[in-house]
């Protein structure tokens, strides 16, 4: 009897507490304004190679790190637990291949999305003494800060994608970020909709900085422009759940004018809900994922593809080699451009030969092994 | 040996009918009424059909899970097998409708293999099923990730998505009739027949109630356990094909579904330690759980409150079921 009850309670509790995170300040007007300015800046650096460009960056002197090559590069990766990271990780390995004349070894540790594993990965790299430079893509910001600070004392460090709360790395590479995404997407919808137009916001999960800031920026603009946000729902990034939620909202409101998403991986499922309900397609913001771009083109959607480009995985390798050669790099923050896909540029990114979950803004077309290494067909 | 709830002798009288009525059915009616008040179109046949369509994958999973639960085990690998089915379906078909038939065959073969391994680990290696299938869950998730490299390649052709997505339109009286609802009816009837109308079903109840006594009375306990795990895996593959049809390719489509299937069975009166339960209860439990998800979604509550309400209602449903059973003796 007791065992049965324990079983019941465990089953119920596992269902009930799917993990909630406490909010930090993800709605910072100063950051919002700063991102707005970055969006208007013209990128500096080589044309057509956004992973080598920067927005208003300064150079850092790295002569103190200069040593003879070839180099041993170590990389602590937060994980390859979603398609975005898979594409980025493939980019990064191809970039190592391109620069193999300068790189003696490239050792990566996969933290599998766990802070504690990543902390011990970083410690192991530092204490091994076999790394000339350490690249870190942190799993979470606050938890990884002490480990990165400790690593900075032993060797040059490059951080990219998500940040840490210290300026000790030689450089921190990332695109404009969540506020930029929120501004671009919400402006697109607000331009196309009359006042009082109904928007459904679909979000993945709470508590992740880049996602929270995407929403706070978009919500700010929707409020300013008088757009009616009829709901903001978490989908867990699950297609079936997304489709069910959208079906419910269509039933509830009769008509939804636009879908805003904090990440576009489930955009096609959202669109299919309208299809299956026999409703006209909504205005929608997705992402640079191929399945969405293909659908956009095929159905002639009114759509917008913001990006958090995967080409940013190329830049840390470039930075690492430069640092060890003693050449100046952009730092201590290196902001990469964050382009968007619009109706005008859609055709150049649609590629039915690439897998549906491939990210078009990979900057990988000129890399060795393309397209097969990314799962594409020639 | 205690018999299944559904095969107990019937007594007359409204009170006794009410008392015998599965608690999940009552909770479902209450929840569905609440949904219909918030959203009147759920009362219409088309609205109800749409609801059924979405609840079908969970109900199908519950129809498989019940065999393992009643036999005194757990199958925690169902959700991961759903994910593997969806990803495998996209990898095998690669958007070519011509591949669908053999791909479905391969997926069911994988399901049978998973069931066999689960059965082997539980019966021959004597690993408790909760651990054996947890191991299987982790392995299957790993296989799905390795197979796809984290990024499934290829779309699902429309004929594979048919079962989960399409509906007959303009059907007299009800309007639309989703194919998924037919699949649910077939699966539920098969499960009902298998568990409650066959000798095999009686053996499942017997080993769940008292494996030693069953063995002494001549039941091939190991063979029955194997079969239960295989049936559960086949249900998971079916659920996966339905979800692939409904939502398309997704890398974590099945995560958590195994617990939902177990919860659905428990709400429907299936005893977690085995020996008791009915397929009608399991299906009603799945519909109840899905109605709860829908209702909380329609209420637009903040996520933490939704999670809490979900937990409380789940525990109350099961607790009241257990209480009624105790009173009924």
């Amino acid at each position: 009897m007791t065992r049965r009850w324990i079983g019941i309670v465990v089953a119920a509790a596992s269902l009930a507490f799917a993990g909630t995170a406490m909010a930090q300040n993800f709605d910072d007007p100063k950051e919002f304004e700063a991102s707005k300015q970055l969006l208007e800046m013209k990128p500096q650096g080589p044309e057509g190679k956004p992973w080598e460009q920067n927005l208003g960056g300064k150079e850092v002197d790295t002569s103190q790190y200069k040593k003879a090559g070839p180099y041993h590069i170590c990389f602590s990766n937060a994980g390859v637990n979603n398609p975005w990271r898979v594409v980025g990780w493939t980019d990064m390995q191809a970039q190592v291949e391109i620069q193999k004349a300068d790189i003696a070894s490239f050792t990566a540790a996969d933290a599998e999305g766990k802070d504690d594993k990543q902390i011990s990965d970083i410690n192991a790299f530092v204490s091994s003494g076999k790394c000339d430079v350490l690249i870190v893509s942190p799993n979470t910001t606050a938890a990884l800060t002490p480990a990165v600070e400790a690593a900075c004392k032993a060797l040059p460090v490059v951080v990219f994608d998500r940040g840490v709360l210290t300026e000790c790395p030689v450089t921190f590479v990332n695109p404009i970020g969540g506020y930029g995404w929120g501004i671009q997407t919400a402006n697109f919808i607000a331009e196309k909709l009359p006042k009082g137009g109904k928007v459904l916001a679909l979000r993945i999960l709470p508590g992740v900085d880049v996602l929270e800031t995407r929403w706070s920026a978009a919500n700010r603009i929707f409020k300013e422009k008088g757009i009616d946000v009829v709901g903001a729902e978490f989908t867990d990034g699950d297609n079936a759940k997304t489709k069910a939620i959208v079906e419910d909202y269509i039933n509830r409101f009769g008509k939804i004018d636009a879908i805003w998403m904090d990440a576009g991986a489930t955009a096609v499922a959202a669109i299919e809900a309208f299809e299956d309900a026999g409703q006209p397609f909504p205005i929608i913001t997705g992402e640079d994922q191929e399945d969405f771009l293909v659908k956009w083109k095929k159905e002639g959607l009114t759509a917008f593809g913001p990006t958090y480009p995967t080409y940013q995985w190329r830049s840390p390798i470039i930075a690492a080699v430069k640092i060890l050669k003693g050449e100046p790099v952009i730092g201590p923050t290196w902001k990469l451009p964050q382009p968007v896909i619009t109706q005008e540029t859609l055709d150049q990114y649609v590629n039915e030969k690439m897998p549906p979950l491939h990210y078009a803004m990979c900057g990988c077309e000129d890399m060795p092994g393309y397209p097969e290494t990314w799962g594409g067909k020639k | 040996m205690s018999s299944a709830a559904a095969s107990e002798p019937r007594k007359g009288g409204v009170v006794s009918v009410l008392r015998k009525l599965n608690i999940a059915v009552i909770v479902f009616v209450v929840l569905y009424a609440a949904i219909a008040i918030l959203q009147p179109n759920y009362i219409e046949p088309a609205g109800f059909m749409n609801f059924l369509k979405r609840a079908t994958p969970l109900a199908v999973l519950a129809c498989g899970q019940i065999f393992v639960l009643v036999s005194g085990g757990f199958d925690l690998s169902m959700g991961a097998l759903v994910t593997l089915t969806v990803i495998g379906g996209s990898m095998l078909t690669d958007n070519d409708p011509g591949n669908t038939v053999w791909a479905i065959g391969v997926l069911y073969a994988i399901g049978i293999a998973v069931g066999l391994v689960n059965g082997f680990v539980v019966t021959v290696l004597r690993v408790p099923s909760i651990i054996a299938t947890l191991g299987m869950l982790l392995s299957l998730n790993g296989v799905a990730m390795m197979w796809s490299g984290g990024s499934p390649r290829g779309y699902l052709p429309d004929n594979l998505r048919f079962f989960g997505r399409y509906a007959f339109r303009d059907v007299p009286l009800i309007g639309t009739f989703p194919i998924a609802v037919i699949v649910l009816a077939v699966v539920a009837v098969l499960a009902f027949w298998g568990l409650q109308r066959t000798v095999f079903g009686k053996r499942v109840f017997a080993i769940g109630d008292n494996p030693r006594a069953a063995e002494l009375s001549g039941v091939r306990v190991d063979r029955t356990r194997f079969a239960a795990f295989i049936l559960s895996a086949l249900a998971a593959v079916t659920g996966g094909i339905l979800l692939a049809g409904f939502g398309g390719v997704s890398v974590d489509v099945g995560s958590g579904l195994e617990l939902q299937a177990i919860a659905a069975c428990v709400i429907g009166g299936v005893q977690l330690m085995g020996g008791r339960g009915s397929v009608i209860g399991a299906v009603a439990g799945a519909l109840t759980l899905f109605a709860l998800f829908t209702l909380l979604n329609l209420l637009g509550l903040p996520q933490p409150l939704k999670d809490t309400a979900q937990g409380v209602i789940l525990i109350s449903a099961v607790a009241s079921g257990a209480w009624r059973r105790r009173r009924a003796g």
Side-chain angles (χ1 to χ4, degrees):
Chain A
M1 192 65 195
T2 322
R3 283 173 68 192
R4 189 175 78 200
W5 277 103
I6 291 172
I8 292 167
V9 171
V10 167
S14 330
L15 266 175
F17 300 103
T20 45
M22 295 312 294
Q24 297 161 28
N25 181 19
F26 295 126
D27 187 12
D28 183 346
K30 256 171 46 193
E31 290 283 326
F32 179 90
E33 282 306 322
S35 296
K36 222 167 162 179
Q37 282 171 11
L38 283 171
L39 286 174
E40 281 155 18
M41 256 178 213
K42 190 175 156 37
Q44 299 160 1
E47 187 75 20
K49 291 184 172 176
W51 51 90
E52 290 183 31
Q53 293 179 331
N54 70 86
L55 299 166
K58 297 186 186 68
E59 286 191 334
V60 182
D61 176 30
T62 63
S63 50
Q64 54 172 314
Y65 303 116
K66 186 172 179 177
K67 64 197 292 185
Y71 307 114
H72 298 277
I73 298 180
C74 297
F75 171 43
S76 166
N77 191 0
V80 269
N81 38 18
N82 62 49
W84 185 86
R85 299 194 77 84
V86 172
V87 174
W89 171 228
T90 313
D91 268 26
M92 191 180 227
Q93 294 170 86
Q95 184 66 35
V96 169
E97 187 64 27
I98 289 173
Q99 294 185 267
K100 66 180 170 199
D102 289 321
I103 299 172
S105 73
F106 176 63
T107 316
D110 180 354
E112 296 157 14
K114 296 183 193 99
D115 288 337
D116 53 338
K117 176 153 188 330
Q118 188 162 28
I119 290 166
S120 82
D121 287 347
I122 293 175
N123 291 342
F125 275 141
V126 172
S127 57
S128 74
K130 287 179 186 158
C131 308
D132 294 323
V133 60
L134 176 66
I135 299 172
V136 181
S137 171
N139 189 48
T140 62
T141 302
L144 268 300
T145 300
V148 170
E149 270 176 335
C152 287
K153 294 194 179 111
L155 76 176
V157 175
V158 175
V159 172
F160 79 101
D161 177 24
R162 305 170 195 160
V164 279
L165 302 167
T166 165
E167 292 234 318
C168 84
V170 181
T171 186
F172 166 40
V173 187
N174 74 339
I176 298 171
Y179 288 103
W181 172 297
I183 293 166
Q184 291 166 321
T185 48
N187 278 337
F188 173 79
I189 289 179
E191 273 167 27
K192 306 268 175 205
L193 272 190
K195 259 195 173 172
K198 290 191 180 71
V199 179
L200 170 60
L202 296 176
R203 309 187 51 199
I204 300 187
L205 74 174
V208 175
D209 59 356
V210 287
L211 301 178
E212 289 290 343
T213 50
R214 285 173 186 181
W215 173 232
S216 77
N219 200 23
R220 178 184 290 263
I221 290 169
F222 288 142
K223 273 190 195 142
E224 279 171 15
K225 305 268 170 87
I227 302 294
D228 180 12
V229 178
V230 293
E233 297 287 344
F234 292 108
T235 63
D236 301 334
D238 174 356
N239 278 336
K241 195 170 171 191
T242 303
K243 200 168 168 184
I245 288 172
V246 177
E247 281 185 356
D248 276 342
Y249 270 86
I250 293 172
N251 285 339
R252 194 164 143 198
F253 289 95
K255 188 167 179 286
I256 301 286
D257 302 302
I259 297 279
W260 178 91
M261 310 190 103
D262 73 357
T266 57
V268 172
I271 295 165
E272 281 184 1
F274 285 83
E275 258 177 358
D276 290 5
Q279 290 258 353
F281 291 114
I283 297 167
I284 186 163
T285 67
E287 206 172 341
D288 53 333
Q289 218 169 34
E290 280 297 341
D291 62 346
F292 171 64
L293 300 180
V294 168
K295 188 90 179 165
W296 176 355
K297 185 174 178 184
K298 192 173 144 213
E299 307 290 353
L301 303 175
T302 305
F304 184 82
T307 70
Y308 192 61
T310 41
Y311 62 58
Q312 65 186 290
W313 289 69
R314 297 185 67 168
S315 318
I317 300 290
I318 296 168
V321 171
K322 274 191 170 181
I323 290 167
L324 294 172
K325 285 186 171 176
E327 296 169 9
V329 293
I330 306 296
T333 54
W334 177 355
K335 282 284 173 195
L336 295 168
Q338 186 169 298
V340 295
I341 299 173
T342 61
Q343 190 61 51
E344 287 72 43
T345 58
L346 175 63
D347 281 348
Q348 69 190 83
Y349 295 105
V350 173
N351 186 347
E352 298 212 34
K353 293 195 168 144
M354 295 308 283
L357 303 190
H358 178 69
Y359 283 79
M361 206 62 79
C362 64
C364 55
E365 290 81 1
D366 65 340
M367 300 184 92
Y370 181 88
E372 288 93 339
T373 314
W374 284 260
K377 281 180 241 161
K378 272 213 163 139
Chain B
M1 165 180 155
S2 79
S3 58
S7 61
E8 279 168 12
R10 290 169 196 282
K11 292 178 198 145
V14 178
V15 177
S16 109
V17 166
L18 262 182
R19 191 177 289 168
K20 291 187 102 13
L21 199 60
N22 196 300
I23 184 76
V25 177
I26 300 168
V27 181
F28 172 69
V29 170
V30 172
L31 286 173
Y32 202 85
I35 292 173
I37 291 168
L38 285 174
Q39 195 56 62
N41 69 318
Y42 271 87
I43 293 183
E44 293 163 20
F48 183 63
M49 282 298 159
N50 202 25
F51 171 85
L52 274 186
K53 176 183 87 177
R54 275 154 42 186
T56 290
L58 181 57
V60 167
L61 258 59
C63 284
Q65 181 74 245
I66 191 174
F67 283 90
V68 179
L69 285 179
V70 168
S71 75
F74 289 92
D75 186 355
L76 295 183
S77 63
M78 284 189 114
L81 186 51
V82 166
T83 305
L84 184 67
T85 302
V86 174
I87 288 180
S90 82
M91 302 293 290
L92 290 171
T93 54
D94 204 12
N95 200 30
D96 181 355
N99 291 338
T100 295
V101 174
W102 68 259
I104 288 180
V106 171
L107 293 172
Y108 275 107
I110 292 173
I112 290 171
V114 168
L116 281 172
V117 173
N118 278 338
F120 177 80
V121 176
V122 170
T123 59
V124 181
L125 303 182
R126 301 277 159 201
V127 176
S129 65
I130 198 161
I131 304 298
T133 56
L134 183 65
M136 182 56 84
L137 178 158
L138 296 170
S139 315
L140 291 179
N141 274 337
V143 169
M145 284 311 267
M146 277 194 295
W147 194 356
S148 66
S151 163
R153 291 154 193 193
Y155 294 82
L156 291 164
D158 282 346
N159 59 354
L160 182 65
R161 297 194 61 184
F162 176 78
F163 302 101
R165 191 175 176 196
Y166 286 86
F168 295 116
R169 305 246 172 215
D170 305 319
V171 178
L173 294 176
I174 52 169
T176 59
F177 196 82
I179 306 293
V181 176
I182 301 173
V183 176
L184 172 60
V186 171
V187 170
V189 166
L190 283 176
F192 174 80
W193 175 76
L195 187 65
Q196 288 163 237
R197 289 287 180 271
T198 62
V199 177
F200 164 72
K202 289 196 171 57
R203 287 182 186 142
V204 173
F205 278 106
I207 66 170
D209 202 38
N210 187 338
R212 181 76 186 132
E215 198 169 5
L216 289 175
S217 61
V219 174
R220 310 282 282 267
V221 172
D222 286 1
R223 231 184 246 190
T224 313
R225 287 228 161 98
F226 261 100
F229 279 111
I230 290 170
L231 289 173
S232 178
L234 291 176
V237 173
T238 309
I241 291 171
L242 290 167
L243 277 169
F246 178 63
V249 187
S250 188
V251 282
D252 54 2
V253 51
S255 62
L257 273 182
E258 64 287 334
L259 285 179
Q260 288 182 14
I262 292 172
C265 288
V266 172
I267 290 174
V270 179
Q271 196 164 303
L272 271 186
M273 299 311 290
R276 189 175 189 125
S278 73
V279 170
I280 293 172
V283 172
L287 297 184
T288 304
L289 197 57
F290 204 82
L292 177 62
F293 296 154
T294 308
L295 178 64
L296 292 175
N297 192 25
L298 284 175
L299 282 173
L301 299 179
Q303 191 65 30
L305 202 56
K306 264 192 214 174
D307 291 343
T308 312
Q310 206 167 295
V312 169
I313 293 175
L314 201 59
I315 292 171
S316 342
V318 177
S320 67
W323 177 74
R324 279 157 50 102
R325 207 154 49 224
R326 252 199 326 274
R327 269 190 15 159

